Amino acid sequence: MNKVVEFLNANPVQYLATVGRDGKAKCRPFMFAGELDGRLWFCTNNQKDVYKDMQENPEIEISVSSPEYAWIRLHGKAVFENNMAAKEMCIQNPIVRGQYGEASNPILEVFYLEDAHGAISDFSGNPPFAF
């Protein structure tokens, strides 16, 4: 888990893929909020299409590459939880704070990835680091 958290923190703008409510693939820039209690947490706004898409089909994938041409593919089920500790962690990010003001904002939603799994790969020819 430490290697995954380190990679996500080092590459702050990830891309989150969902299946839209129209049945078509959707991919959006997203930011990793942090690790709490062994879970990978993210946040969004309950007024956005991405939130509505994940409510209908919570299976998502996140991907990002590094300047060194390594990348991560991270898959899991988005599980929304009214977790104030996770919201407080999210609001520490100045971008999130600028959008939501405070952790108690009713449109701020947090979710973690259940059964998070995937791989970190690169072009070295070495096998991917699977998790």
Side-chain angles (χ1 to χ4, degrees), residues 17-30:
T18 63
V19 175
R21 287 163 288 143
D22 61 2
K24 297 180 181 176
K26 309 292 181 197
C27 189
R28 303 159 173 95
F30 241 74

Side-chain angles (χ1 to χ4, degrees), residues 32-96:
F32 173 60
E35 184 268 335
L36 182 67
D37 298 327
R39 294 176 171 162
L40 304 174
W41 288 88
F42 300 83
C43 66
T44 192
N45 173 332
N46 61 26
Q47 306 300 303
K48 290 184 175 183
D49 285 340
V50 67
Y51 174 80
K52 295 169 187 168
D53 291 346
M54 288 188 284
Q55 292 296 300
E56 189 164 309
N57 183 347
E59 295 295 327
I60 64 171
E61 189 161 275
I62 295 168
S63 184
V64 63
S65 62
S66 74
E68 298 78 31
Y69 305 105
W71 63 91
I72 190 170
R73 288 184 60 202
L74 174 62
H75 180 87
K77 178 181 176 183
V79 176
F80 286 86
E81 184 176 283
N82 188 17
N83 184 314
M84 191 51 73
K87 288 181 178 186
E88 291 288 351
M89 178 176 62
C90 290
I91 213 77
Q92 298 309 306
N93 180 313
I95 294 170
V96 176

